[in-house]
Amino acid sequence: MPQYRFACFAIALPLYRVFEYRLDESDSSVVGTRYRLPFGQGTRSGILLEVSDHSDFDAAKIKPVRERIDLEPVLGEHILALAKWMSEYYLQPPGDVIFQCLPGYLRGARAYQPLRVKRWRLLTDDAEAISALERGSPRQFEICQALLQESQGMTAIEFKRVNPGWHPVVKALEGKLLIGWEWDDKPARPVVAPELPQLSSEQDDILRAIKPRLQQFAVHLLDGITGSGKTEIYLRLIQNCLEQGQQVIYLVPEIGLTNQLIDRVRHRLGECFAISHSGLTEYQRFQAWDRFRRAEATIMLGTRSCLFSQCDHLGLIIIDEEHDHSYRQEDGVRYHARDVAIKRAQMLDIPIVLGSATPSLESIANCERSTFFRYRMDHRPTRFDPPSIQLIDTRNSRFDFGCAAQTFARIDAHLEDSGQVLVYLNRRGYAPIVMCHECGWQSQCRNCDARLTLHQSQQALLCHHCGYRQLVPEVCPECGHDEIKHYGIGTEQLEQGLNQRYPDTPVLRVDRDVISSREALKSRLEQLQSGAPCILIGTQMIAKGHDYPAITLSVVLDADQALFSASYRASERLAQTLLQVCGRSGRGDRAGEAIVQTRFPEHPLMQALSRRPYREVADDLLQERRLLGFPPYARVVIFRSDAQELKQALSKLETIKGLLQQSPRFQQLLSIGPIPALMTRRIGRYRAQLSLIATDHRLLRALLAEAMPAIQEIPSTARANWNIDIDAYDL
Ligand code: ADP
Ligand code: ZN
Ligand code: ZN
């Protein structure tokens, strides 16, 4: 009778289960190692979760694994434990959750091999041999000069900054035996920053208060106005960790990772950080992940999914702009990076620092429950405090490409005074509405319940949801009339208009249509850095994360839509956006000004935003949420379905509701639906939802614990699938 060992594996499938296979007696792998497993007609990659000497099933029927992929585990026990918690808390399929903790590059069947890095050093101290290069081989000379400055030697990344075409030059120097390399497995050392800015008294007090609490788990919220020096505090805390041989994860919003921040970190701490964001290739992100894992990089700086980076000595997690929407993953495995990060810090018993000028209502409520430490920063260390918001009443205004006359007057004044101006308009394209003047026909997407946006530079109508494109019709497809008109303003039209009005001033547009790469963004931001007068216009890409001291005027063109949104989060998001946009100005040695055009200047929210600080506005919004029984005073869970036909989606949710109703607890909480989603048809699929709202968190969890085992058996198919969204962002 052969002896077997059995093992459980996670496979990336939307199924609420793990899979059992047989291991060789001799196999001594540890958990977190990937295997190729026979599955259906083919094979799948699986991650080893648990090994056991016996199985509840007939041993002979359990298939043996095909082969081991990795020599060492790709996921450590801590990340596996975090994934287990996520899968249980967010009720997501365990295989999906575990695989999304890996960099994309390792989700398939590629074997993991730690990357090793070469470090080059000068092999000669013959100064003459080096200066002899200066005339004939200036690029070789340049590299040698750089190496002379670096007693630690240099890596490819560092050479690249000296000369993007470094490789042949370094090869040539190797050939001359002037330089040589060895494998580098020592952690990069932080540089000692040349001179640190004198801390403001606010900053100093906060660091003194946080420092004694750095040896254990605690959530610290830096609640500091825009430009109050939060980043400076992060940098000091990071430095503190590095000095103790610890590593740091530093998360920023999806578009907050500007070169400005990277330069700032590099200037202060040297090359000891890895960067990861969605603009990089899978391989580059894997490199960053691996450098951090081997402790070659001591800081992981990046967006949401960097949260799952592994290392042996994590000492601190930082989440900048903690209120930002991009921390929520809205497709695939649904989670909130802030909340998972807090859990991770708690499991490791390390501190986590959140920062924002406009903290989320969730975090503010957590401070009130005194589970978070809150530190207020009310002043900028630079000369001027952020401008307060001035409302421009546009009820009787004439508009030119979205700007009222009073707005132009302010732009004129700031440009004349050599200031830079930021104009925020969160709508890309030329015009959002294309309509027949005669019969009222409007251009609709054929895959979505949405209008097509006119993009004049492409002479096309585009859907912003599915990418569908069609030519602009010359005559109305309904009535044949040739008077097709457009209404409303997008950034493309605004750019054109401002270019005409200010022919001598550069107009820099930043939105997804013109910024296809980070390089494109970089070149525009460099113009801002120069400090010369210019107008920056853009969508939410320009609303946050940057610090350009020459901006003296922020303008918000169209904020009114949010005042009448059906979403209970709309007021919070509007307040955050307006304050973030307005907070971009006045950061240098000139005071800033901030104006918001509105046709509803008497609206209570507009009034509040123009007169009172964010904290007071936020307290009022919290009050409202409490009265209405919305988060953070309630929990929202949404079951969603999308299908080829609406009735299939609705019927899937009816089945789920039926299972929920079997528990008497169902009657004790509020449920809405199943109903068609707000945008019912999107990318050719019909969508519906079933929402549960409960002020009693435990009641909701108990209901789900009872009903989920049966619900999880409901298959998700291409015809009609379903998923669950815990702590859903909206209703
Ligand atoms: P926040 O992260 O709160 O927006 P930053 O840390 O980016 O603020 O600081 C805003 C500006 O103030 C930056 O230009 C920064 O260099 C500067 N700054 C921050 N702290 C100090 C300080 N203690 N002394 C002088 N300037 C400072
Ligand atoms: Zn018509
Ligand atoms: Zn569409």
Side-chain angles (χ1 to χ4, degrees):
M1 185 76 181
Q3 278 289 312
Y4 294 124
R5 295 170 77 223
F6 304 94
C8 276
F9 289 89
I11 298 180
L13 286 171
L15 295 174
Y16 286 88
R17 53 167 295 199
V18 292
F19 298 84
E20 197 172 22
Y21 288 86
R22 231 166 60 200
L23 283 181
D24 265 1
E25 176 70 353
S26 61
D27 192 321
S28 58
S29 298
V30 281
V31 296
T33 309
R34 285 174 311 157
Y35 280 74
R36 211 184 316 278
L37 307 170
F39 194 92
Q41 302 299 311
T43 59
R44 290 270 191 164
S45 299
I47 291 181
L48 181 64
L49 297 179
E50 214 179 295
V51 181
S52 160
D53 287 331
H54 61 88
S55 168
D56 297 340
F57 299 99
D58 178 0
K61 287 197 179 144
I62 297 178
K63 288 188 197 157
V65 299
R66 195 61 59 81
E67 62 180 328
R68 186 157 106 186
I69 299 175
D70 307 302
L71 290 176
E72 53 179 293
V74 289
L75 288 177
E77 286 186 20
H78 161 64
I79 291 287
L80 287 172
L82 183 69
K84 181 164 183 283
W85 174 83
M86 280 177 74
S87 158
E88 285 164 4
Y89 180 80
Y90 289 106
L91 296 169
Q92 302 289 316
D96 274 348
V97 176
I98 289 171
F99 269 83
Q100 69 97 48
C101 293
L102 277 174
Y105 188 79
L106 293 180
R107 286 181 201 165
R110 285 192 192 99
Y112 166 58
Q113 273 189 323
L115 300 167
R116 285 199 295 176
V117 176
K118 290 179 181 177
R119 187 171 280 274
W120 282 265
R121 288 189 173 78
L122 280 177
L123 295 179
T124 178
D125 46 15
D126 179 355
E128 271 177 39
I130 294 175
S131 37
L133 294 170
E134 186 164 11
R135 294 191 111 220
S137 323
R139 281 174 308 192
Q140 294 178 19
F141 179 71
E142 182 186 39
I143 292 279
C144 288
Q145 287 301 52
L147 279 169
L148 272 175
Q149 308 284 321
E150 296 290 345
S151 58
Q152 303 282 321
M154 292 173 74
T155 62
I157 297 178
E158 290 158 348
F159 280 140
K160 207 168 171 170
R161 293 182 53 223
V162 177
N163 176 357
W166 62 279
H167 193 247
V169 185
V170 164
K171 280 277 159 224
L173 285 167
E174 279 177 9
K176 292 179 182 171
L177 298 179
L178 288 172
I179 67 173
W181 61 265
E182 54 192 34
W183 290 119
D184 178 26
D185 29 32
K186 284 178 284 301
R189 294 218 190 131
V191 293
V192 180
E195 61 181 295
L196 303 181
Q198 175 84 36
L199 291 176
S200 69
S201 62
E202 267 180 353
Q203 288 171 325
D204 199 44
D205 289 347
I206 290 172
L207 278 168
R208 276 170 206 273
I210 294 183
K211 275 195 175 156
R213 298 177 181 139
L214 288 179
Q215 302 312 321
Q216 72 259 328
F217 169 67
V219 187
H220 303 277
L221 174 67
L222 297 186
D223 172 3
I225 59 167
T226 51
S228 57
K230 298 181 288 296
T231 310
E232 182 61 40
I233 292 188
Y234 305 149
L235 293 174
R236 302 277 175 137
L237 292 172
I238 292 173
Q239 185 140 18
N240 190 63
C241 273
L242 302 192
E243 280 161 10
Q244 301 182 32
Q246 295 175 325
Q247 289 173 274
V248 179
I249 293 177
Y250 182 171
L251 295 187
V252 293
E254 188 51 59
I255 51 191
L257 189 54
T258 55
N259 288 70
Q260 204 180 29
L261 177 63
I262 295 171
D263 288 346
R264 208 163 152 188
V265 174
R266 176 178 290 134
H267 176 72
R268 284 293 278 276
L269 304 161
E271 291 296 340
C272 62
F273 59 96
I275 294 174
S276 184
H277 54 72
S278 61
L280 299 178
T281 62
E282 269 193 355
Y283 186 69
Q284 288 169 319
R285 301 192 73 166
F286 163 64
Q287 280 179 311
W289 178 87
D290 188 57
R291 285 183 64 212
F292 190 64
R293 178 184 163 115
R294 287 181 295 105
E296 190 211 309
T298 41
I299 305 168
M300 174 56 96
L301 175 56
T303 50
R304 188 176 62 218
S305 63
C306 290
L307 170 59
F308 302 108
S309 312
Q310 302 175 92
C311 64
D312 291 334
H313 306 289
L314 193 62
L316 174 67
I317 303 175
I318 292 170
I319 304 193
D320 191 24
E321 310 289 6
E322 65 86 28
H323 66 280
D324 195 84
H325 192 52
S326 72
Y327 287 124
R328 238 195 89 85
Q329 176 145 305
E330 297 282 14
D331 52 7
V333 177
R334 290 164 174 77
Y335 67 89
H336 199 301
R338 178 192 59 224
D339 301 344
V340 178
I342 291 173
K343 187 67 198 175
R344 186 169 182 193
Q346 188 192 36
M347 289 167 74
L348 291 172
D349 199 23
I350 59 168
I352 173 167
V353 175
L354 314 177
S356 175
T358 52
S360 61
L361 298 186
E362 277 77 8
S363 292
I364 295 178
N366 278 323
C367 292
E368 277 158 17
R369 296 182 190 118
S370 33
T371 56
F372 290 11
F373 291 100
R374 184 181 194 177
Y375 310 89
R376 295 165 196 251
M377 302 170 76
D378 293 319
H379 299 287
R380 286 181 173 176
T382 49
R383 267 181 70 192
F384 295 97
D385 280 338
S388 50
I389 293 174
Q390 298 169 54
L391 301 177
I392 292 204
D393 179 354
T394 56
R395 273 173 296 195
N396 302 308
S397 298
R398 239 202 74 216
F399 288 98
D400 279 319
F401 39 89
C403 303
Q406 303 101 297
T407 302
F408 282 128
R410 299 314 305 147
I411 295 178
D412 293 347
H414 281 261
L415 290 177
E416 267 161 39
D417 209 21
S418 305
Q420 293 179 340
V421 175
L422 179 155
V423 185
Y424 173 81
L425 174 62
N426 201 17
R427 197 185 299 123
R428 59 196 178 89
Y430 194 86
I433 301 172
V434 175
M435 213 168 126
C436 169
H437 196 59
E438 196 61 32
C439 74
W441 165 88
Q442 289 191 17
S443 182
Q444 289 284 333
C445 177
R446 62 172 190 196
N447 308 318
C448 310
D449 290 330
R451 285 197 207 102
L452 298 174
T453 300
L454 174 62
H455 285 248
Q456 202 161 66
S457 60
Q458 305 179 44
Q459 296 188 323
L461 300 175
L462 298 185
C463 174
H464 287 180
H465 302 279
C466 71
Y468 171 74
R469 159 197 295 266
Q470 70 175 57
L471 291 177
V472 184
E474 280 171 20
V475 297
C476 171
E478 293 281 320
C479 73
H481 233 84
D482 62 0
E483 257 197 290
I484 304 247
K485 295 211 161 155
H486 57 75
Y487 300 88
I489 308 287
T491 46
E492 190 185 336
Q493 194 177 157
L494 177 65
E495 176 191 30
Q496 192 184 67
L498 289 173
N499 265 323
Q500 278 163 13
R501 194 179 154 107
Y502 302 100
D504 301 323
T505 307
V507 176
L508 315 170
R509 177 175 138 214
V510 172
D511 60 34
R512 263 204 287 149
D513 298 316
V514 284
I515 304 296
S516 51
S517 68
R518 267 159 205 268
E519 287 306 304
L521 180 62
K522 188 175 159 194
S523 78
R524 283 180 176 72
L525 296 183
E526 272 164 5
Q527 289 207 47
L528 283 170
Q529 191 79 61
S530 77
C534 64
I535 305 176
L536 172 68
I537 66 179
T539 53
Q540 48 177 331
M541 288 179 95
I542 62 167
K544 54 192 156 189
H546 58 80
D547 179 43
Y548 292 101
I551 297 177
T552 54
L553 173 65
S554 293
V555 180
V556 175
L557 288 190
D558 183 10
D560 288 346
Q561 240 174 10
L563 294 175
F564 304 98
S565 163
S567 159
Y568 75 88
R569 288 207 188 250
S571 302
E572 177 188 359
R573 291 190 71 178
L574 178 65
Q576 288 165 341
T577 305
L578 292 193
L579 283 154
Q580 292 286 344
V581 171
C582 293
R584 298 301 121 198
S585 76
R587 290 172 167 247
D589 47 19
R590 272 183 293 162
E593 188 178 348
I595 58 182
V596 173
Q597 290 189 170
T598 177
R599 272 175 289 130
F600 304 92
E602 263 104 60
H603 191 287
L605 183 59
M606 285 294 183
Q607 281 293 317
L609 285 170
S610 68
R611 287 164 192 227
R612 299 166 56 205
Y614 175 77
R615 287 187 198 119
E616 290 180 18
V617 178
D619 286 345
D620 285 358
L621 293 176
L622 271 171
Q623 240 353 76
E624 225 173 271
R625 296 266 188 98
R626 192 196 290 273
L627 286 174
L628 295 171
F630 280 139
Y633 303 105
R635 302 288 181 124
V636 175
V637 170
I638 300 184
F639 288 92
R640 299 178 210 276
S641 172
D642 64 76
Q644 287 163 347
E645 288 170 43
L646 182 58
K647 66 172 193 290
Q648 294 165 337
L650 290 169
S651 109
K652 193 127 254 176
L653 295 175
E654 283 297 353
T655 313
I656 291 172
K657 187 173 179 177
L659 292 169
L660 290 165
Q661 276 169 328
Q662 289 180 8
S663 163
R665 294 190 168 92
F666 185 80
Q667 301 308 327
Q668 293 168 259
L669 47 76
L670 181 64
S671 72
I672 305 173
I675 50 169
L678 204 54
M679 185 190 292
T680 306
R681 204 161 60 103
R682 191 164 181 275
I683 321 182
R685 307 267 298 176
Y686 289 86
R687 309 177 315 146
Q689 63 187 49
L690 167 65
S691 313
L692 305 177
I693 304 164
T695 44
D696 182 348
H697 178 50
R698 262 171 282 170
L699 175 74
L700 182 59
R701 292 307 301 198
L703 169 66
L704 292 171
E706 251 178 283
M708 279 311 279
I711 293 174
Q712 287 168 355
E713 297 297 318
I714 301 174
S716 250
T717 61
R719 211 156 68 101
N721 64 37
W722 70 270
N723 56 57
I724 180 169
D725 189 356
I726 301 285
D727 296 340
Y729 217 67
D730 227 322
L731 281 178

